[in-house]
Amino acid sequence: MTSTAKAASSAILERDGRFLLVLRRNPPSADMYAFPGGRAEAGETPEQTALREFREETGISAHNPRLFSTYDLKTHGPDGSVKSHFFLSVFRVDADREMVAEAADDAAALGWYTVEEIRRLPVPQSVLECAERLAGGE
């Protein structure tokens, strides 16, 4: 069975070797840590989605989105059927250093984590892959 992917975007903010992650409140990644992000709204570009979702979940207005990676993400039910299907655009973003992040919207909590800490957290594989690539100098 084929499914049509829904557009989604996330945003990576890194400061001093730490990445801002939110603890997801809702599916498809409920109870997992991830970069702030979510589903696109009608008419939004992937960049607009990343910036809007980042602001909604952290209270920080980010800027200068740069495409870093894309993922075709599917989750399957026990019977093998596709439960969710997203085409995720991941952007690196900048933000004023004095801005303090506060969990809001879909974010139950948030924090700044090193790659070593991320390896011990429940995270989607795409998050770990992006953090490791960036920590490696990409």
Side-chain angles (χ1 to χ4, degrees):
M1 176 184 148
T2 61
S3 64
T4 303
K6 296 178 184 98
S9 295
S10 63
I12 300 171
L13 181 61
E14 181 183 3
R15 287 185 182 161
D16 304 319
R18 294 182 172 273
F19 299 91
L20 182 60
L21 300 182
V22 297
L23 177 60
R24 293 258 165 247
R25 189 185 315 266
N26 301 315
S29 298
D31 302 321
M32 296 183 84
Y33 287 84
F35 299 120
R39 296 177 179 99
E41 293 181 353
E44 275 185 329
T45 66
E47 293 88 347
Q48 290 168 331
T49 300
L51 296 176
R52 176 185 52 78
E53 286 284 344
F54 193 86
R55 184 179 57 257
E56 288 176 0
E57 294 180 4
T58 70
I60 294 176
S61 292
H63 52 88
N64 192 25
R66 298 159 321 273
L67 185 63
F68 180 70
S69 195
T70 58
Y71 293 90
D72 188 2
L73 303 173
K74 294 179 185 176
T75 58
H76 296 86
D79 63 354
S81 65
V82 176
K83 288 177 55 176
S84 68
H85 187 186
F86 292 96
F87 185 78
L88 178 66
S89 299
V90 182
F91 293 88
R92 294 192 69 186
V93 297
D94 299 323
D96 295 334
R97 290 190 70 81
E98 59 273 359
M99 297 295 295
V100 176
E102 294 183 18
D105 195 42
D106 180 37
L110 55 71
W112 294 89
Y113 301 95
T114 64
V115 171
E116 292 75 26
E117 292 167 331
I118 292 170
R119 288 184 183 123
R120 295 189 298 271
L121 292 172
V123 297
Q125 184 60 35
S126 59
V127 169
L128 179 58
E129 181 182 302
C130 287
E132 287 179 335
R133 284 174 53 199
L134 287 166
E138 259 190 72

